[in-house]
Amino acid sequence: MADKSYKEYLNQITTFIFDVDGVLTDGSLHITTSGEMLRIMNVKDGYALKTALHKGFNVCIISGGSNEGVRSRLAALGIDAIYLGAHNKIEQLDDYFTKKNISSENVLYMGDDIPDYPVMKGIGLPCCPQDAVPEIKAISKYISHKKGGKGAVRDVIEQVLKVQGKWSGNFDAKYD
């Protein structure tokens, strides 16, 4: 029996979980002379994240990185489930599922590299950006046509919200 098309999963998604480096960013690090590591995030991804929250979806971030600037940016978008410095992402995932009473089949997780692999194996809709590593592409039910940090997050959120009839609505709201 053939596996379902990824589109058949979109209507059951209640929760979005994203990695940061390589998903919300392009994976580049700009290192200042003082050693600070700077990342660039896409504003359109930010708009989609805020819209998902506004429409009642759960949004969680699980990242191996621990940059507090990343936490500040995501918190400013309204995301309160932010796990940084996650070296075993399964632990943070289990903690989040328990706190929110979430079932894995209702989750879209987007990752791009090997640390995401164990988490993605047990998720309803594992996805990745176009430039993810081959191992992650192999287990993804959807590979975005967008690269990490270049709209891949917006791509998956917009698809889910459109299928569920939640994309249109209050476009007059202010989003940063």
Side-chain angles (χ1 to χ4, degrees):
M1 182 169 142
D3 195 20
K4 296 193 298 188
S5 160
Y6 83 92
K7 290 187 178 201
E8 295 178 56
Y9 293 88
L10 299 181
N11 210 31
Q12 68 190 36
I13 299 302
T14 63
T15 303
F16 296 101
I17 303 177
F18 298 102
D19 178 31
V20 174
D21 293 321
V23 174
L24 283 164
T25 76
D26 68 3
S28 297
L29 291 175
H30 301 275
I31 303 171
T32 67
T33 55
S34 66
E36 185 178 5
M37 292 186 271
L38 306 175
R39 292 157 172 87
I40 296 173
M41 293 185 172
N42 188 300
V43 172
K44 291 177 182 167
D45 287 344
Y47 175 81
L49 288 163
K50 270 194 98 142
T51 301
L53 288 165
H54 179 73
K55 298 293 183 173
F57 288 84
N58 299 307
V59 176
C60 176
I61 305 299
I62 303 177
S63 175
S66 57
N67 184 290
E68 287 304 311
V70 168
R71 182 185 309 278
S72 295
R73 166 66 178 152
L74 298 170
L77 293 172
I79 301 169
D80 57 8
I82 303 169
Y83 297 89
L84 300 182
H87 300 294
N88 178 355
K89 293 184 177 190
I90 295 281
E91 289 176 11
Q92 284 76 18
L93 182 76
D94 289 344
D95 180 64
Y96 184 67
F97 280 9
T98 300
K99 285 180 181 174
K100 293 283 195 174
N101 194 27
I102 293 170
S103 179
S104 62
E105 65 263 11
N106 301 116
V107 175
L108 181 154
Y109 182 100
M110 182 173 268
D112 73 305
D113 209 344
I114 300 304
D116 300 304
Y117 191 94
V119 174
M120 291 175 71
K121 288 291 287 180
I123 292 300
L125 184 53
C127 301
C128 67
Q130 184 270 322
D131 55 347
V133 299
E135 295 86 349
I136 296 300
K137 286 181 171 183
I139 62 169
S140 293
K141 291 179 180 163
Y142 175 69
I143 300 171
S144 176
H145 63 284
K146 302 280 189 175
K147 292 182 178 182
K150 305 292 184 190
V153 169
R154 166 79 176 249
D155 174 33
V156 294
I157 291 175
E158 190 173 327
Q159 286 192 60
V160 169
L161 271 62
K162 282 182 176 178
V163 163
Q164 295 186 20
K166 297 177 180 177
W167 182 249
S168 61
N170 185 8
F171 288 114
D172 294 330
K174 295 196 181 217
Y175 295 100
D176 296 321

